[in-house]
Structures are given as structure tokens and as C-alpha cells.
Amino acid sequence: MEKTFNDWKLMIDAALDAAIPSSDTQPELLHRAMRYAVFPGGKRIRPLLVLSTAVMIERVRLGVEGSGFQVLERSIPPAVAIELIHSYSLVHDDLPSMDNDDVRRGLPTVHKAFGEAEAILAGDALLSLAFEVVSKEEAYGLMGPLTSIKIVYELAGASGSLGMVGGQVMDISPVHPDMGVAYTEEMSDLKTGTLMRSAIRCGAIVAGASSDELEALTRFGELFGRAFQVQDDINDSHEEGLLTFSGILGVKEAGLYGSSLLSSAIDILKPYEKQGEELLWLATRALGFS
Ligand code: GRG
């Protein structure tokens, strides 16, 4: 399994590299900042969710005959797009007007390395590039034009004011005493969950999932996305914010809540059995359970 995921990560990284203009393309500083935001990168969980879900659905469609891997090529454009959107969100989240962080993934943040204006613009350009990647001729040739439009719509909704940006606004709003678990859940579902859910939905859409499958996997994505945020809060609990699951529930209770979310998510994958083994492995590994 480790080998499969290492191979997929290499494919994703190669496609990201091909998608972002080279460092010597004008304006050079902007392209260097965009590349700095994406490479060497993090865990690549969202693009790996796209590939794992697509492979699972392809196996269901093709039955025992299929390895499921034919769908990988079609999954790459949405996988790349979602990592570009994630990268943009981190660049903007680190800005002085938001979290004001100096370090990300052990390196100076983009605004520390390139200046604030360049970081804002690099984030903007990464977001635009994401939509170019899934709508250009090469991509709609692979996925089919209708699927390409469905992916654009999916990603636009997940990243917009009713998705990730909306969640970020809730996060930076002044904290009131009545902002408890319910508020934290809504904020986390929008800020973190929508992109996770969308990664899973994109994988299902490119593989031609039925509406029942899409509905079940959407629920899986919601549960996984919330569990991911709970775990992220637990990992960061030394720098406790007020609106975090570990801050509100305490680390122990938050741990139990995260495990129960993951186990409900895993129940949704039960009918897929071995066909969903990559997705199951990735979900449990991403939450530190394997
Ligand atoms: C600025 C529009 C805008 C949105 C920002 C994603 C986000 C919204 C903020 C990031 C703040 C944060 C740390 C949220 C916790 C969950 C999360 C998204 C963690 C980072 O994702 P990983 O662990 O990162 O997948 P890597 O480094 O592996 O890519």
C-alpha cells in the first residue's frame, strides 16, 4: 500500500510541476512564489483522496475484471486542482491579516520569503490555475466536457463563500461566549471539511459514480473532514484557540469524538470491501490510526 501511495504522490507531483509555469517564466517572482507554495508540499491528502475514491468506484463499475487503475489518468486534473486550491488557502491563511504565521512545513511562509503582496497574488494565481487545469482542452478531452463542468462547479462551490472561504470568515470572526461546539462544527465543516468532501466527490464524479454512491461518499467525506479537523486540533492543542474541538471538549473527549466520526465514516465503506482498500487505508492513516 505504501508503494501505491508513493507512486501516486509522484504522479501528482509531476502533474503539479507541469501545471505551474516554470520559475523562469515572466513574471518570474510570481511563478517562483507559486512553486514555493506547492513544493515540496505536504501530505497531498486531498489529491490522494481523489485518486483513491476514483479507483474504488472504477472497480465497482468494472467488476472483478478491473484493477480500477484505468481511471487514474482522468483523476489527475481534479487532483491537481484541489491541491492548488489547498495551497492557495494555506498561503492566504498564513498572511499577517489572517493567522500571521512565519513558518509552514518547517520553512518561512510565502509572505516571509517573497513579501506580502507577492503572497496574495501567488495565492490568487494558484486559485485561477486550478480552474484552468480542469477546464482546458486536454482535461475535458480526458474527462469528457460534462464531467469537466461538473468538476469546475464542484470545486467552485467548495472553495467559495458557502465553503472554505465562508469557514475562514467564521474562524476569524470575534469570539462570543455562545460560540460552542455547534459553531465550531459548522466552521470546521466549511473551512476544512468542504475541500475534503469535494476531493472525494471529484474522485466519484470522474469515475462515473451513481447518485446513490455519490450521496454515500459525500457523507463519508463530511465525516472524514470533520474527523480530520478534530485530529488537527488535538495535534495543535499546545497552541489552543478558543474555537477548536480540543479547546472546547478537552483533548481526551475530542479524541473519542474523532474516533467515533472515523468509525461512522468507515461503516460507509463496508459494502465496498476490498475495492475500497486504498481509501480506507488513506483515511485511517491520515488520522493517525494506522
Ligand atoms: C484563506 C480562504 C482561506 C482559507 C483558509 C485551510 C484553511 C482555510 C486554513 C488552514 C488552517 C488550518 C491549519 C486548518 C486546519 C486543517 C488543515 C486544513 C490543515 C492543513 O492541511 P494538511 O494537514 O496540510 O493537509 P499539508 O501541509 O499536509 O498540505
Side-chain angles (χ1 to χ4, degrees), residues 42-46 83 86 88-90 92-93 98 104-105 164-165 168 191-192 228-229 232:
K43 300 174 288 294
R44 307 285 195 227
I45 289 169
R46 295 156 193 78
E83 188 67 7
H86 169 61
Y88 124 74
S89 79
L90 296 182
H92 282 194
D93 185 62
M98 299 219 200
R104 165 144 328 258
R105 300 167 179 152
M164 187 177 67
V165 171
Q168 180 75 351
K191 188 182 81 164
T192 309
F228 186 85
Q229 183 64 64
D232 194 71

Coordinates of all heavy atoms in Angstrom, one line a residue, residues 42-46 83 86 88-90 92-93 98 104-105 164-165 168 191-192 228-229 232, ligand 1:
G42 N 3.0 19.2 1.3 CA 2.7 18.5 2.5 C 2.4 17.1 2.2 O 3.0 16.4 1.3
K43 N 1.3 16.6 2.8 CA 1.0 15.1 2.7 C 0.2 14.8 1.4 O 0.1 13.6 1.1 CB 0.2 14.7 3.9 CG 0.9 15.0 5.2 CD 0.1 14.8 6.5 CE -1.0 15.8 6.8 NZ -0.5 17.2 7.1
R44 N -0.3 15.8 0.7 CA -1.0 15.6 -0.5 C -2.3 14.7 -0.3 O -2.7 13.9 -1.1 CB -0.2 14.9 -1.6 CG 1.1 15.6 -1.9 CD 1.0 16.9 -2.7 NE 2.2 17.3 -3.3 CZ 2.6 18.6 -3.3 NH1 1.9 19.5 -2.7 NH2 3.7 18.9 -3.9
I45 N -2.9 14.9 0.9 CA -4.1 14.1 1.3 C -5.2 14.3 0.3 O -5.8 13.3 -0.2 CB -4.5 14.4 2.7 CG1 -3.5 13.9 3.7 CG2 -5.9 13.8 3.0 CD1 -3.7 14.3 5.1
R46 N -5.5 15.5 -0.1 CA -6.7 15.8 -0.9 C -6.6 15.1 -2.3 O -7.5 14.4 -2.7 CB -7.0 17.3 -0.9 CG -7.4 17.8 0.4 CD -7.2 19.3 0.6 NE -7.2 19.7 2.0 CZ -6.3 19.6 2.9 NH1 -5.1 19.0 2.6 NH2 -6.4 19.9 4.1
E83 N -5.3 20.4 -5.0 CA -4.0 20.7 -4.3 C -3.6 22.2 -4.5 O -3.1 22.8 -3.6 CB -2.9 19.7 -4.7 CG -1.6 19.8 -3.8 CD -1.8 19.4 -2.3 OE1 -2.9 18.9 -2.0 OE2 -0.8 19.6 -1.6
H86 N -5.9 24.1 -2.2 CA -5.4 23.9 -0.8 C -4.2 24.8 -0.6 O -4.1 25.5 0.4 CB -5.1 22.4 -0.6 CG -4.4 22.1 0.7 ND1 -4.9 22.4 1.9 CD2 -3.2 21.5 0.9 CE1 -4.0 22.0 2.8 NE2 -3.0 21.5 2.2
Y88 N -3.2 27.5 -2.2 CA -3.6 28.9 -2.1 C -4.2 29.3 -0.7 O -3.9 30.3 -0.1 CB -4.6 29.3 -3.2 CG -5.9 29.9 -2.8 CD1 -6.0 31.2 -2.3 CD2 -7.1 29.1 -2.8 CE1 -7.2 31.7 -1.9 CE2 -8.3 29.6 -2.3 CZ -8.3 30.9 -1.9 OH -9.5 31.4 -1.4
S89 N -5.0 28.4 -0.2 CA -5.7 28.7 1.1 C -4.6 28.8 2.2 O -4.8 29.6 3.1 CB -6.8 27.6 1.4 OG -6.2 26.4 1.9
L90 N -3.6 27.9 2.2 CA -2.6 28.0 3.2 C -1.8 29.3 3.1 O -1.5 29.9 4.1 CB -1.7 26.8 3.1 CG -2.3 25.4 3.4 CD1 -1.3 24.3 3.3 CD2 -3.1 25.4 4.7
H92 N -2.8 32.2 1.9 CA -3.6 33.3 2.4 C -3.8 33.2 3.9 O -3.8 34.2 4.6 CB -4.9 33.4 1.6 CG -4.7 34.0 0.3 ND1 -5.8 34.5 -0.5 CD2 -3.6 34.3 -0.4 CE1 -5.3 35.0 -1.6 NE2 -4.0 34.9 -1.6
D93 N -4.0 31.9 4.4 CA -4.2 31.7 5.8 C -3.0 32.2 6.7 O -3.2 32.7 7.8 CB -4.5 30.3 6.1 CG -4.9 30.0 7.6 OD1 -5.9 30.5 8.0 OD2 -4.1 29.3 8.3
M98 N -4.4 37.4 8.6 CA -5.1 36.2 9.0 C -4.4 35.6 10.2 O -4.4 36.2 11.2 CB -5.4 35.3 7.8 CG -6.2 36.0 6.7 SD -7.4 35.0 5.9 CE -7.6 35.9 4.4
R104 N 5.8 27.6 7.8 CA 4.8 26.5 7.4 C 5.7 25.3 6.9 O 6.6 25.5 6.1 CB 3.9 27.0 6.3 CG 3.2 25.9 5.6 CD 1.7 26.1 5.2 NE 0.8 26.9 6.0 CZ -0.1 26.3 6.8 NH1 -0.2 25.0 7.0 NH2 -0.9 27.1 7.5
R105 N 5.4 24.2 7.3 CA 6.1 22.9 6.9 C 7.6 23.1 7.1 O 8.4 22.7 6.3 CB 5.8 22.6 5.4 CG 4.3 22.3 5.1 CD 4.1 22.3 3.6 NE 2.7 22.0 3.3 CZ 2.1 22.4 2.2 NH1 2.8 23.1 1.3 NH2 0.9 22.1 1.9
M164 N -15.1 26.9 1.8 CA -13.9 27.2 2.5 C -13.7 28.6 3.0 O -13.4 28.9 4.1 CB -12.7 26.7 1.7 CG -11.4 26.8 2.4 SD -10.0 26.2 1.4 CE -10.0 27.5 0.1
V165 N -14.0 29.6 2.0 CA -13.8 31.0 2.4 C -14.8 31.4 3.5 O -14.5 32.1 4.4 CB -14.0 31.9 1.2 CG1 -14.0 33.4 1.6 CG2 -12.8 31.7 0.2
Q168 N -13.5 30.2 6.7 CA -12.4 31.0 7.2 C -12.9 32.3 7.8 O -12.4 32.8 8.9 CB -11.5 31.4 6.0 CG -10.3 32.2 6.3 CD -9.2 31.4 7.1 OE1 -9.4 30.3 7.5 NE2 -8.0 32.1 7.2
K191 N -14.6 25.2 6.6 CA -13.2 25.6 6.4 C -12.3 24.4 5.9 O -11.5 24.6 5.0 CB -12.6 26.2 7.7 CG -11.2 26.7 7.6 CD -10.7 27.2 8.9 CE -10.1 26.1 9.7 NZ -9.3 26.5 10.8
T192 N -12.5 23.3 6.5 CA -11.7 22.1 6.2 C -12.5 21.0 5.5 O -12.0 20.4 4.6 CB -11.1 21.5 7.5 OG1 -10.5 22.6 8.3 CG2 -10.1 20.4 7.3
F228 N -10.8 14.9 10.5 CA -9.5 15.4 10.2 C -9.3 16.7 11.0 O -8.2 16.9 11.6 CB -9.4 15.7 8.7 CG -8.0 16.1 8.3 CD1 -7.1 15.2 8.0 CD2 -7.7 17.5 8.2 CE1 -5.8 15.6 7.6 CE2 -6.4 17.9 7.8 CZ -5.5 16.9 7.4
Q229 N -10.3 17.6 11.1 CA -10.2 18.8 11.8 C -10.0 18.6 13.3 O -9.2 19.2 14.0 CB -11.3 19.8 11.5 CG -11.2 21.1 12.2 CD -10.0 22.0 11.7 OE1 -10.0 22.3 10.6 NE2 -9.1 22.2 12.6
D232 N -6.5 17.5 13.8 CA -5.6 18.6 13.6 C -5.6 19.5 14.9 O -4.6 20.0 15.4 CB -6.1 19.4 12.4 CG -5.0 20.4 12.0 OD1 -4.0 20.0 11.4 OD2 -5.2 21.6 12.2
Ligands
GRG1 C1 -7.6 31.7 3.4 C2 -9.6 31.2 2.0 C3 -8.7 30.8 3.1 C4 -8.9 29.6 3.7 C5 -8.0 29.0 4.7 C6 -7.5 25.7 5.0 C7 -7.6 26.9 5.7 C8 -8.7 27.8 5.2 C9 -6.8 27.3 6.7 C10 -5.7 26.4 7.2 C11 -5.8 26.5 8.7 C12 -5.7 25.1 9.2 C13 -4.3 24.7 9.8 C14 -6.7 24.3 9.3 C15 -6.7 23.0 9.8 C16 -6.9 21.9 8.9 C17 -6.0 22.0 7.8 C18 -6.6 22.5 6.5 C19 -4.7 21.6 7.9 C20 -3.7 21.6 6.9 O1 -4.0 20.6 5.9 P1 -2.9 19.4 5.7 O2 -2.6 18.8 7.0 O3 -1.7 20.2 5.2 O4 -3.4 18.5 4.7 P2 -0.4 19.7 4.3 O5 0.8 20.5 4.9 O6 -0.2 18.3 4.5 O7 -0.7 20.1 2.9

